[in-house]
Amino acid sequence: MDTADYTLLPTAPPLQDYLRLRRDSGLTPVTAEQGAPAIAGAWSACHVVDADGTPVAMGRVIGDGGWYFHVVDVATDPAHQRQGLGRAVVEWLVADIRDRAPAGPYVSLIGDPPGQRLYRSLGFEDVTPSLGMGIVLSAD
């Protein structure tokens, strides 16, 4: 990350920027009603701003504070990709877990194809034979 052009801040971005970064980076869009408690409920979060102060990358950690920590919402504005911002975000989040969690935490994430090479380069490994699974509950 070129520090002359970008600054990493140890907080989640404002809600509207959180929603924009999720949408623009290709993550599943969420509503403000979903995003506000997601930001508030994070165990850890950071975001990167450009020289104008606009949030251009982010990430969060959710977890129980003891053993399980899950890296989520790693997203970079497409206009700012390939600048090392995603790497800086994940490295900062992992360092924060290392600094504040009890020794030996389990850190996981679900690596979508665009981020898998980055995550592997930072020491994350496939959990085979386990398989990541999920469900989106409908309103009815």
Side-chain angles (χ1 to χ4, degrees), residues 14-29:
L15 177 59
Q16 290 309 313
D17 293 301
Y18 170 83
L19 299 175
R20 174 184 54 80
L21 286 169
R22 280 193 60 87
R23 181 190 67 239
D24 292 355
S25 69
L27 297 179
T28 303

Side-chain angles (χ1 to χ4, degrees), residues 55-78:
V56 296
M58 66 175 183
R60 296 186 309 123
V61 172
I62 56 176
D64 59 23
W67 165 242
Y68 285 111
F69 298 87
H70 191 67
V71 176
V72 297
D73 290 337
V74 176
T76 302
D77 183 310

